[in-house]
Amino acid sequence: MNPQTSRPIFVIGCPRSGTTLLQQMLHSHRRIAFPSETRFVHTSYDVRHTFGDLEREENRRRLAEWIVKGEDTKFKVLKLDADAVIEEIVDAPPTLGSALATVFRAYARGHGKPRWGDKRPSYFRRVPMLRRMFPDAQFIHLVRDGRDAVSSLKRMPWYHGDTFSAALTWREAVDMGKRLARRLGPDTFYEFRYEDLVAEPEPELEKLCVFLGETFDPAMTRAYEHARQTVPSARKWHLRTHEAPNTRNVGAWRDRLEDWEADLVEHVLASRLVDHGYTLTGVSRPAVANLARYHRLAAHRWRSHRAHGVLERLSQAREPNPVVSRLAGPVPVDDPADEG
């Protein structure tokens, strides 16, 4: 077996960049289990100190019950036996990463697959956290035209930002992708474009599988079959996953953004759009007031990220246990790739 094929996989990117589609494609691979967003990885990390020394069984149990039954998690989407998972976490090595890996390994085992992954767009801001817990992980960054990502994000009922914050989020995501590519290297970090994925799914997924150390599975191009069973119709913003991959919404920003928004977004993202192979349309220079507002927000976020970094370093110094997962190797299931 290729040693890479047991490494955890994390999908990152600006929200509304096609990460749910990619998650469905990866889950359709016969060896990879990739659930919907669970929301217990970053949240449990942020409150890890409240559980105390995980060498103590009662503290591991409190952590397990928080992951499985906490109001801030979405453990139920995994459809696992809650009590059984709690006991598995209690019996696992006494680290946060081990507890989280136990849950994902149980999910993979339930699907008869030896490998697991997790998807959350905002993980692009939490890669250091993920690498602390899963140092052998691989990261996939999916990039979409920033103008389309912004126009789509603004239409989401759960998004409470504006055009300025959406454009800045895309900028932060692609800037982080550039840094990660340099720091992590081609064995750990892979970046490609949403537009290429939907235009030519098979060759793009074949290249992705080479990075992952997996054999391409044609079922990945039919992920819509799985999405129709698992993605609720009530989530209208994800209904495109019920269709075969297509380019119908590529360039939709031209109809969705107001003129002032298009001027601003293309102007402030121009160099990054070009770097990722997108063509500029030559919009008008945005109003000075709009540019000033964008740059004020960028400065505010920079200060916020710096402050968070200081607090995180202090937080790490107070950890009673290591956070790294001590569960390694493939999930112990019958591997369909070895059959026949």
Side-chain angles (χ1 to χ4, degrees), residues 196-255:
D196 298 327
L197 176 62
V198 295
E200 298 185 288
E202 186 165 331
E204 290 299 317
L205 291 170
E206 287 176 343
K207 289 185 286 187
L208 177 61
C209 285
V210 170
F211 162 73
L212 294 174
E214 300 287 353
T215 301
F216 170 69
D217 188 339
M220 299 174 77
T221 63
R222 303 190 302 276
Y224 54 87
E225 296 174 354
H226 178 260
R228 290 169 183 170
Q229 301 173 14
T230 59
V231 178
S233 297
R235 295 183 183 177
K236 297 181 181 180
W237 53 92
H238 283 159
L239 287 184
R240 294 293 305 279
T241 61
H242 291 194
E243 308 172 4
N246 62 76
T247 60
R248 191 164 62 250
N249 277 350
V250 172
W253 66 271
R254 292 178 174 84
D255 299 319

Short mmCIF file of all heavy atoms in Angstrom, two decimals, residues 196-255:
data_model
loop_
_atom_site.label_atom_id
_atom_site.label_comp_id
_atom_site.label_asym_id
_atom_site.label_seq_id
_atom_site.Cartn_x
_atom_site.Cartn_y
_atom_site.Cartn_z
N ASP A 196 -11.95 24.47 -13.81
CA ASP A 196 -11.36 23.32 -14.49
C ASP A 196 -12.02 22.02 -14.05
O ASP A 196 -12.23 21.10 -14.86
CB ASP A 196 -9.86 23.26 -14.21
CG ASP A 196 -9.13 24.49 -14.72
OD1 ASP A 196 -9.56 25.04 -15.76
OD2 ASP A 196 -8.15 24.91 -14.08
N LEU A 197 -12.38 21.95 -12.77
CA LEU A 197 -13.02 20.74 -12.24
C LEU A 197 -14.37 20.50 -12.90
O LEU A 197 -14.68 19.37 -13.28
CB LEU A 197 -13.20 20.88 -10.73
CG LEU A 197 -13.94 19.74 -10.02
CD1 LEU A 197 -13.19 18.42 -10.17
CD2 LEU A 197 -14.16 20.08 -8.55
N VAL A 198 -15.19 21.54 -13.06
CA VAL A 198 -16.52 21.34 -13.62
C VAL A 198 -16.48 21.22 -15.15
O VAL A 198 -17.38 20.63 -15.76
CB VAL A 198 -17.51 22.46 -13.20
CG1 VAL A 198 -17.74 22.41 -11.70
CG2 VAL A 198 -17.00 23.83 -13.64
N ALA A 199 -15.44 21.77 -15.77
CA ALA A 199 -15.34 21.69 -17.23
C ALA A 199 -14.83 20.32 -17.67
O ALA A 199 -15.31 19.75 -18.66
CB ALA A 199 -14.41 22.79 -17.76
N GLU A 200 -13.85 19.78 -16.94
CA GLU A 200 -13.25 18.50 -17.28
C GLU A 200 -13.04 17.68 -16.00
O GLU A 200 -11.91 17.55 -15.52
CB GLU A 200 -11.93 18.68 -18.01
CG GLU A 200 -12.05 19.42 -19.33
CD GLU A 200 -10.72 19.47 -20.07
OE1 GLU A 200 -9.84 20.23 -19.62
OE2 GLU A 200 -10.57 18.74 -21.07
N PRO A 201 -14.12 17.15 -15.44
CA PRO A 201 -14.02 16.48 -14.14
C PRO A 201 -13.02 15.32 -14.12
O PRO A 201 -12.21 15.22 -13.19
CB PRO A 201 -15.45 15.99 -13.88
CG PRO A 201 -16.30 16.85 -14.74
CD PRO A 201 -15.50 17.16 -15.95
N GLU A 202 -13.08 14.45 -15.12
CA GLU A 202 -12.26 13.24 -15.04
C GLU A 202 -10.76 13.53 -15.03
O GLU A 202 -10.05 13.05 -14.13
CB GLU A 202 -12.61 12.27 -16.17
CG GLU A 202 -11.88 10.94 -16.05
CD GLU A 202 -12.47 9.86 -16.93
OE1 GLU A 202 -13.68 9.91 -17.21
OE2 GLU A 202 -11.71 8.96 -17.33
N PRO A 203 -10.21 14.30 -15.98
CA PRO A 203 -8.77 14.54 -15.92
C PRO A 203 -8.33 15.31 -14.67
O PRO A 203 -7.25 15.07 -14.14
CB PRO A 203 -8.48 15.33 -17.20
CG PRO A 203 -9.79 15.86 -17.65
CD PRO A 203 -10.81 14.87 -17.20
N GLU A 204 -9.19 16.22 -14.19
CA GLU A 204 -8.83 16.96 -12.98
C GLU A 204 -8.82 16.05 -11.76
O GLU A 204 -7.95 16.16 -10.89
CB GLU A 204 -9.80 18.13 -12.77
CG GLU A 204 -9.66 19.24 -13.78
CD GLU A 204 -8.27 19.88 -13.76
OE1 GLU A 204 -7.73 20.11 -12.65
OE2 GLU A 204 -7.72 20.14 -14.84
N LEU A 205 -9.79 15.14 -11.68
CA LEU A 205 -9.84 14.22 -10.55
C LEU A 205 -8.73 13.17 -10.64
O LEU A 205 -8.23 12.70 -9.61
CB LEU A 205 -11.22 13.55 -10.48
CG LEU A 205 -12.36 14.49 -10.09
CD1 LEU A 205 -13.71 13.80 -10.29
CD2 LEU A 205 -12.20 14.96 -8.64
N GLU A 206 -8.35 12.81 -11.85
CA GLU A 206 -7.23 11.89 -12.01
C GLU A 206 -5.95 12.50 -11.45
O GLU A 206 -5.18 11.84 -10.74
CB GLU A 206 -7.04 11.52 -13.49
CG GLU A 206 -8.11 10.59 -14.02
CD GLU A 206 -7.95 10.31 -15.51
OE1 GLU A 206 -7.23 11.09 -16.17
OE2 GLU A 206 -8.55 9.35 -16.00
N LYS A 207 -5.72 13.78 -11.75
CA LYS A 207 -4.53 14.45 -11.21
C LYS A 207 -4.61 14.58 -9.69
O LYS A 207 -3.59 14.43 -8.99
CB LYS A 207 -4.38 15.83 -11.87
CG LYS A 207 -3.96 15.77 -13.34
CD LYS A 207 -3.70 17.15 -13.90
CE LYS A 207 -4.99 17.91 -14.15
NZ LYS A 207 -4.74 19.22 -14.88
N LEU A 208 -5.80 14.85 -9.19
CA LEU A 208 -5.98 14.95 -7.75
C LEU A 208 -5.66 13.62 -7.07
O LEU A 208 -5.01 13.58 -6.02
CB LEU A 208 -7.41 15.38 -7.42
CG LEU A 208 -7.77 15.45 -5.94
CD1 LEU A 208 -6.88 16.46 -5.22
CD2 LEU A 208 -9.24 15.82 -5.77
N CYS A 209 -6.09 12.52 -7.67
CA CYS A 209 -5.85 11.20 -7.10
C CYS A 209 -4.36 10.87 -7.09
O CYS A 209 -3.88 10.19 -6.17
CB CYS A 209 -6.64 10.14 -7.85
SG CYS A 209 -8.41 10.13 -7.45
N VAL A 210 -3.62 11.34 -8.08
CA VAL A 210 -2.18 11.13 -8.07
C VAL A 210 -1.58 11.81 -6.83
O VAL A 210 -0.74 11.23 -6.13
CB VAL A 210 -1.54 11.69 -9.36
CG1 VAL A 210 -0.01 11.68 -9.24
CG2 VAL A 210 -1.97 10.85 -10.56
N PHE A 211 -2.00 13.03 -6.57
CA PHE A 211 -1.54 13.74 -5.37
C PHE A 211 -1.87 12.96 -4.10
O PHE A 211 -1.04 12.85 -3.18
CB PHE A 211 -2.16 15.12 -5.32
CG PHE A 211 -2.11 15.78 -3.97
CD1 PHE A 211 -0.91 16.28 -3.48
CD2 PHE A 211 -3.26 15.91 -3.20
CE1 PHE A 211 -0.86 16.89 -2.22
CE2 PHE A 211 -3.22 16.52 -1.95
CZ PHE A 211 -2.02 17.01 -1.46
N LEU A 212 -3.07 12.40 -4.05
CA LEU A 212 -3.52 11.69 -2.85
C LEU A 212 -2.91 10.30 -2.72
O LEU A 212 -3.04 9.66 -1.68
CB LEU A 212 -5.05 11.57 -2.86
CG LEU A 212 -5.82 12.90 -2.74
CD1 LEU A 212 -7.31 12.65 -2.92
CD2 LEU A 212 -5.54 13.57 -1.40
N GLY A 213 -2.25 9.84 -3.77
CA GLY A 213 -1.70 8.50 -3.74
C GLY A 213 -2.77 7.43 -3.92
O GLY A 213 -2.62 6.30 -3.46
N GLU A 214 -3.84 7.80 -4.60
CA GLU A 214 -4.96 6.88 -4.83
C GLU A 214 -5.14 6.62 -6.31
O GLU A 214 -4.76 7.44 -7.16
CB GLU A 214 -6.26 7.48 -4.27
CG GLU A 214 -6.26 7.77 -2.79
CD GLU A 214 -6.33 6.52 -1.93
OE1 GLU A 214 -6.52 5.41 -2.50
OE2 GLU A 214 -6.19 6.63 -0.71
N THR A 215 -5.74 5.49 -6.61
CA THR A 215 -6.14 5.18 -7.98
C THR A 215 -7.45 5.90 -8.27
O THR A 215 -8.37 5.88 -7.45
CB THR A 215 -6.32 3.67 -8.16
OG1 THR A 215 -5.09 3.01 -7.86
CG2 THR A 215 -6.74 3.34 -9.59
N PHE A 216 -7.54 6.55 -9.40
CA PHE A 216 -8.78 7.25 -9.77
C PHE A 216 -9.96 6.29 -9.78
O PHE A 216 -9.88 5.17 -10.27
CB PHE A 216 -8.63 7.89 -11.15
CG PHE A 216 -9.91 8.43 -11.72
CD1 PHE A 216 -10.51 9.53 -11.16
CD2 PHE A 216 -10.52 7.81 -12.81
CE1 PHE A 216 -11.70 10.04 -11.67
CE2 PHE A 216 -11.70 8.30 -13.34
CZ PHE A 216 -12.30 9.41 -12.77
N ASP A 217 -11.08 6.75 -9.22
CA ASP A 217 -12.32 5.98 -9.19
C ASP A 217 -13.36 6.71 -10.05
O ASP A 217 -13.73 7.85 -9.74
CB ASP A 217 -12.83 5.85 -7.75
CG ASP A 217 -14.01 4.91 -7.63
OD1 ASP A 217 -14.69 4.65 -8.64
OD2 ASP A 217 -14.26 4.43 -6.51
N PRO A 218 -13.84 6.09 -11.15
CA PRO A 218 -14.81 6.77 -12.02
C PRO A 218 -16.07 7.22 -11.29
O PRO A 218 -16.75 8.15 -11.75
CB PRO A 218 -15.14 5.70 -13.08
CG PRO A 218 -13.93 4.81 -13.09
CD PRO A 218 -13.45 4.77 -11.68
N ALA A 219 -16.38 6.60 -10.16
CA ALA A 219 -17.58 7.00 -9.40
C ALA A 219 -17.48 8.44 -8.93
O ALA A 219 -18.51 9.08 -8.65
CB ALA A 219 -17.78 6.07 -8.21
N MET A 220 -16.28 8.98 -8.87
CA MET A 220 -16.11 10.36 -8.42
C MET A 220 -16.80 11.34 -9.36
O MET A 220 -17.26 12.40 -8.94
CB MET A 220 -14.63 10.70 -8.31
CG MET A 220 -13.86 9.84 -7.32
SD MET A 220 -12.07 10.17 -7.35
CE MET A 220 -11.99 11.71 -6.44
N THR A 221 -16.88 11.01 -10.64
CA THR A 221 -17.53 11.90 -11.60
C THR A 221 -19.05 11.78 -11.54
O THR A 221 -19.75 12.56 -12.18
CB THR A 221 -17.06 11.61 -13.03
OG1 THR A 221 -17.45 10.27 -13.38
CG2 THR A 221 -15.54 11.74 -13.14
N ARG A 222 -19.54 10.82 -10.76
CA ARG A 222 -20.99 10.64 -10.60
C ARG A 222 -21.39 10.94 -9.16
O ARG A 222 -22.31 10.34 -8.62
CB ARG A 222 -21.39 9.22 -10.97
CG ARG A 222 -21.01 8.80 -12.39
CD ARG A 222 -21.65 7.48 -12.77
NE ARG A 222 -21.29 6.40 -11.86
CZ ARG A 222 -20.18 5.66 -11.93
NH1 ARG A 222 -19.30 5.90 -12.89
NH2 ARG A 222 -19.93 4.69 -11.05
N ALA A 223 -20.71 11.89 -8.56
CA ALA A 223 -20.98 12.22 -7.16
C ALA A 223 -22.40 12.71 -6.94
O ALA A 223 -22.93 12.62 -5.83
CB ALA A 223 -19.98 13.27 -6.68
N TYR A 224 -23.03 13.21 -7.98
CA TYR A 224 -24.40 13.69 -7.85
C TYR A 224 -25.35 12.58 -7.41
O TYR A 224 -26.38 12.83 -6.78
CB TYR A 224 -24.90 14.30 -9.16
CG TYR A 224 -24.76 13.40 -10.37
CD1 TYR A 224 -25.75 12.50 -10.71
CD2 TYR A 224 -23.62 13.45 -11.18
CE1 TYR A 224 -25.62 11.67 -11.81
CE2 TYR A 224 -23.48 12.62 -12.28
CZ TYR A 224 -24.49 11.73 -12.58
OH TYR A 224 -24.34 10.90 -13.68
N GLU A 225 -25.02 11.33 -7.71
CA GLU A 225 -25.86 10.22 -7.28
C GLU A 225 -25.87 10.12 -5.75
O GLU A 225 -26.90 9.86 -5.14
CB GLU A 225 -25.36 8.91 -7.89
CG GLU A 225 -25.46 8.88 -9.42
CD GLU A 225 -24.83 7.63 -10.01
OE1 GLU A 225 -24.22 6.85 -9.24
OE2 GLU A 225 -24.93 7.43 -11.23
N HIS A 226 -24.70 10.32 -5.15
CA HIS A 226 -24.62 10.31 -3.69
C HIS A 226 -25.23 11.58 -3.10
O HIS A 226 -25.93 11.54 -2.08
CB HIS A 226 -23.16 10.19 -3.25
CG HIS A 226 -22.97 10.21 -1.76
ND1 HIS A 226 -22.56 11.35 -1.09
CD2 HIS A 226 -23.16 9.26 -0.82
CE1 HIS A 226 -22.49 11.09 0.20
NE2 HIS A 226 -22.83 9.84 0.40
N ALA A 227 -25.00 12.74 -3.74
CA ALA A 227 -25.51 14.01 -3.24
C ALA A 227 -27.03 14.02 -3.18
O ALA A 227 -27.62 14.60 -2.25
CB ALA A 227 -25.00 15.15 -4.10
N ARG A 228 -27.68 13.39 -4.13
CA ARG A 228 -29.14 13.37 -4.14
C ARG A 228 -29.70 12.65 -2.93
O ARG A 228 -30.84 12.89 -2.52
CB ARG A 228 -29.64 12.71 -5.43
CG ARG A 228 -29.41 13.56 -6.68
CD ARG A 228 -29.66 12.78 -7.95
NE ARG A 228 -29.37 13.59 -9.14
CZ ARG A 228 -29.33 13.12 -10.37
NH1 ARG A 228 -29.55 11.81 -10.59
NH2 ARG A 228 -29.06 13.91 -11.39
N GLN A 229 -28.89 11.78 -2.34
CA GLN A 229 -29.33 11.03 -1.16
C GLN A 229 -28.94 11.71 0.14
O GLN A 229 -29.57 11.49 1.18
CB GLN A 229 -28.72 9.63 -1.18
CG GLN A 229 -29.08 8.81 -2.41
CD GLN A 229 -28.32 7.48 -2.46
OE1 GLN A 229 -27.73 7.06 -1.48
NE2 GLN A 229 -28.33 6.85 -3.61
N THR A 230 -27.90 12.54 0.11
CA THR A 230 -27.35 13.08 1.36
C THR A 230 -27.45 14.59 1.51
O THR A 230 -27.38 15.09 2.63
CB THR A 230 -25.87 12.68 1.48
OG1 THR A 230 -25.14 13.20 0.36
CG2 THR A 230 -25.71 11.17 1.52
N VAL A 231 -27.60 15.33 0.42
CA VAL A 231 -27.69 16.79 0.51
C VAL A 231 -29.16 17.19 0.46
O VAL A 231 -29.83 17.01 -0.56
CB VAL A 231 -26.93 17.48 -0.65
CG1 VAL A 231 -27.09 19.00 -0.55
CG2 VAL A 231 -25.45 17.09 -0.62
N PRO A 232 -29.72 17.69 1.57
CA PRO A 232 -31.15 18.01 1.62
C PRO A 232 -31.54 19.06 0.59
O PRO A 232 -30.82 20.02 0.34
CB PRO A 232 -31.34 18.55 3.04
CG PRO A 232 -30.16 18.07 3.81
CD PRO A 232 -29.03 17.99 2.84
N SER A 233 -32.73 18.89 0.01
CA SER A 233 -33.22 19.85 -0.98
C SER A 233 -33.46 21.21 -0.35
O SER A 233 -33.48 22.24 -1.04
CB SER A 233 -34.51 19.33 -1.62
OG SER A 233 -34.26 18.13 -2.32
N ALA A 234 -33.65 21.23 0.97
CA ALA A 234 -33.88 22.51 1.65
C ALA A 234 -32.65 23.41 1.57
O ALA A 234 -32.76 24.63 1.64
CB ALA A 234 -34.24 22.26 3.11
N ARG A 235 -31.49 22.81 1.40
CA ARG A 235 -30.28 23.62 1.24
C ARG A 235 -30.14 24.00 -0.24
O ARG A 235 -29.37 23.42 -0.99
CB ARG A 235 -29.05 22.83 1.70
CG ARG A 235 -29.04 22.53 3.19
CD ARG A 235 -27.76 21.83 3.57
NE ARG A 235 -27.74 21.46 4.97
CZ ARG A 235 -26.76 20.79 5.57
NH1 ARG A 235 -25.71 20.42 4.85
NH2 ARG A 235 -26.81 20.48 6.84
N LYS A 236 -30.91 24.97 -0.64
CA LYS A 236 -30.97 25.33 -2.05
C LYS A 236 -29.62 25.75 -2.60
O LYS A 236 -29.36 25.61 -3.80
CB LYS A 236 -32.01 26.45 -2.24
CG LYS A 236 -33.43 26.02 -1.88
CD LYS A 236 -34.42 27.14 -2.10
CE LYS A 236 -35.83 26.70 -1.72
NZ LYS A 236 -36.82 27.79 -1.92
N TRP A 237 -28.76 26.27 -1.72
CA TRP A 237 -27.44 26.72 -2.18
C TRP A 237 -26.52 25.55 -2.53
O TRP A 237 -25.46 25.76 -3.09
CB TRP A 237 -26.79 27.62 -1.13
CG TRP A 237 -26.73 27.00 0.24
CD1 TRP A 237 -25.70 26.26 0.78
CD2 TRP A 237 -27.72 27.09 1.26
NE1 TRP A 237 -26.00 25.88 2.06
CE2 TRP A 237 -27.23 26.38 2.38
CE3 TRP A 237 -28.98 27.71 1.34
CZ2 TRP A 237 -27.96 26.27 3.57
CZ3 TRP A 237 -29.70 27.59 2.53
CH2 TRP A 237 -29.19 26.88 3.61
N HIS A 238 -26.93 24.32 -2.18
CA HIS A 238 -26.13 23.15 -2.51
C HIS A 238 -26.79 22.25 -3.56
O HIS A 238 -26.29 21.16 -3.82
CB HIS A 238 -25.85 22.32 -1.25
CG HIS A 238 -24.80 22.91 -0.36
ND1 HIS A 238 -24.68 22.59 0.98
CD2 HIS A 238 -23.80 23.80 -0.63
CE1 HIS A 238 -23.66 23.27 1.50
NE2 HIS A 238 -23.12 24.00 0.55
N LEU A 239 -27.87 22.70 -4.13
CA LEU A 239 -28.61 21.85 -5.08
C LEU A 239 -27.82 21.56 -6.35
O LEU A 239 -28.10 20.59 -7.06
CB LEU A 239 -29.96 22.47 -5.42
CG LEU A 239 -31.02 22.41 -4.31
CD1 LEU A 239 -32.34 22.98 -4.80
CD2 LEU A 239 -31.22 20.97 -3.83
N ARG A 240 -26.82 22.39 -6.65
CA ARG A 240 -26.01 22.11 -7.84
C ARG A 240 -25.27 20.78 -7.71
O ARG A 240 -24.89 20.18 -8.72
CB ARG A 240 -24.99 23.24 -8.07
CG ARG A 240 -25.61 24.58 -8.43
CD ARG A 240 -26.27 24.54 -9.81
NE ARG A 240 -25.36 24.10 -10.84
CZ ARG A 240 -24.45 24.88 -11.43
NH1 ARG A 240 -24.34 26.14 -11.07
NH2 ARG A 240 -23.66 24.40 -12.38
N THR A 241 -25.07 20.32 -6.47
CA THR A 241 -24.40 19.03 -6.28
C THR A 241 -25.28 17.87 -6.73
O THR A 241 -24.79 16.76 -6.89
CB THR A 241 -24.02 18.81 -4.80
OG1 THR A 241 -25.21 18.81 -3.99
CG2 THR A 241 -23.09 19.90 -4.32
N HIS A 242 -26.58 18.12 -6.94
CA HIS A 242 -27.49 17.08 -7.42
C HIS A 242 -27.36 16.88 -8.93
O HIS A 242 -27.99 15.99 -9.49
CB HIS A 242 -28.94 17.44 -7.07
CG HIS A 242 -29.24 17.37 -5.61
ND1 HIS A 242 -30.53 17.38 -5.12
CD2 HIS A 242 -28.43 17.29 -4.52
CE1 HIS A 242 -30.49 17.32 -3.80
NE2 HIS A 242 -29.22 17.28 -3.42
N GLU A 243 -26.59 17.74 -9.58
CA GLU A 243 -26.44 17.68 -11.04
C GLU A 243 -25.06 17.16 -11.42
O GLU A 243 -24.12 17.22 -10.62
CB GLU A 243 -26.62 19.08 -11.64
CG GLU A 243 -27.88 19.80 -11.23
CD GLU A 243 -27.87 21.24 -11.71
OE1 GLU A 243 -26.91 21.64 -12.43
OE2 GLU A 243 -28.82 21.99 -11.38
N ALA A 244 -24.96 16.67 -12.63
CA ALA A 244 -23.63 16.35 -13.15
C ALA A 244 -22.83 17.65 -13.24
O ALA A 244 -23.40 18.72 -13.49
CB ALA A 244 -23.74 15.70 -14.53
N PRO A 245 -21.52 17.61 -13.06
CA PRO A 245 -20.71 18.84 -13.11
C PRO A 245 -20.93 19.59 -14.42
O PRO A 245 -20.96 18.98 -15.50
CB PRO A 245 -19.27 18.31 -13.01
CG PRO A 245 -19.40 17.01 -12.30
CD PRO A 245 -20.69 16.42 -12.76
N ASN A 246 -21.11 20.90 -14.32
CA ASN A 246 -21.31 21.72 -15.51
C ASN A 246 -20.81 23.13 -15.26
O ASN A 246 -20.55 23.52 -14.12
CB ASN A 246 -22.79 21.74 -15.92
CG ASN A 246 -23.68 22.34 -14.85
OD1 ASN A 246 -23.72 23.54 -14.66
ND2 ASN A 246 -24.40 21.47 -14.12
N THR A 247 -20.68 23.88 -16.33
CA THR A 247 -20.10 25.23 -16.24
C THR A 247 -21.16 26.33 -16.30
O THR A 247 -20.83 27.49 -16.56
CB THR A 247 -19.09 25.44 -17.38
OG1 THR A 247 -19.78 25.30 -18.65
CG2 THR A 247 -17.96 24.42 -17.32
N ARG A 248 -22.40 25.98 -16.03
CA ARG A 248 -23.48 26.93 -16.22
C ARG A 248 -23.31 28.21 -15.39
O ARG A 248 -23.68 29.31 -15.84
CB ARG A 248 -24.82 26.27 -15.88
CG ARG A 248 -26.03 27.09 -16.31
CD ARG A 248 -27.32 26.28 -16.32
NE ARG A 248 -27.67 25.78 -15.00
CZ ARG A 248 -27.63 24.49 -14.64
NH1 ARG A 248 -27.21 23.59 -15.50
NH2 ARG A 248 -27.98 24.11 -13.44
N ASN A 249 -22.75 28.12 -14.21
CA ASN A 249 -22.62 29.30 -13.35
C ASN A 249 -21.25 29.97 -13.43
O ASN A 249 -20.98 30.91 -12.69
CB ASN A 249 -22.91 28.93 -11.89
CG ASN A 249 -24.41 28.92 -11.61
OD1 ASN A 249 -25.21 29.36 -12.43
ND2 ASN A 249 -24.79 28.41 -10.45
N VAL A 250 -20.40 29.48 -14.31
CA VAL A 250 -19.10 30.13 -14.49
C VAL A 250 -19.32 31.50 -15.15
O VAL A 250 -19.94 31.58 -16.21
CB VAL A 250 -18.15 29.26 -15.33
CG1 VAL A 250 -16.88 30.02 -15.66
CG2 VAL A 250 -17.83 27.97 -14.60
N GLY A 251 -18.86 32.54 -14.52
CA GLY A 251 -19.05 33.89 -15.06
C GLY A 251 -20.38 34.52 -14.70
O GLY A 251 -20.73 35.59 -15.23
N ALA A 252 -21.14 33.89 -13.79
CA ALA A 252 -22.45 34.42 -13.43
C ALA A 252 -22.35 35.77 -12.73
O ALA A 252 -23.34 36.50 -12.65
CB ALA A 252 -23.19 33.42 -12.53
N TRP A 253 -21.17 36.13 -12.26
CA TRP A 253 -21.01 37.41 -11.57
C TRP A 253 -21.40 38.59 -12.45
O TRP A 253 -21.82 39.65 -11.95
CB TRP A 253 -19.56 37.58 -11.09
CG TRP A 253 -18.55 37.69 -12.20
CD1 TRP A 253 -17.90 36.68 -12.82
CD2 TRP A 253 -18.10 38.91 -12.82
NE1 TRP A 253 -17.05 37.17 -13.80
CE2 TRP A 253 -17.15 38.53 -13.81
CE3 TRP A 253 -18.38 40.26 -12.64
CZ2 TRP A 253 -16.50 39.48 -14.61
CZ3 TRP A 253 -17.73 41.19 -13.43
CH2 TRP A 253 -16.81 40.80 -14.39
N ARG A 254 -21.27 38.42 -13.76
CA ARG A 254 -21.59 39.53 -14.67
C ARG A 254 -23.05 39.97 -14.54
O ARG A 254 -23.38 41.15 -14.76
CB ARG A 254 -21.30 39.12 -16.12
CG ARG A 254 -19.81 38.93 -16.42
CD ARG A 254 -19.61 38.47 -17.85
NE ARG A 254 -18.20 38.40 -18.22
CZ ARG A 254 -17.41 37.37 -17.96
NH1 ARG A 254 -17.92 36.31 -17.33
NH2 ARG A 254 -16.14 37.38 -18.31
N ASP A 255 -23.92 39.05 -14.21
CA ASP A 255 -25.34 39.37 -14.05
C ASP A 255 -25.71 39.61 -12.59
O ASP A 255 -26.75 40.23 -12.31
CB ASP A 255 -26.21 38.23 -14.60
CG ASP A 255 -25.99 37.99 -16.08
OD1 ASP A 255 -25.88 38.99 -16.81
OD2 ASP A 255 -25.92 36.81 -16.50
#
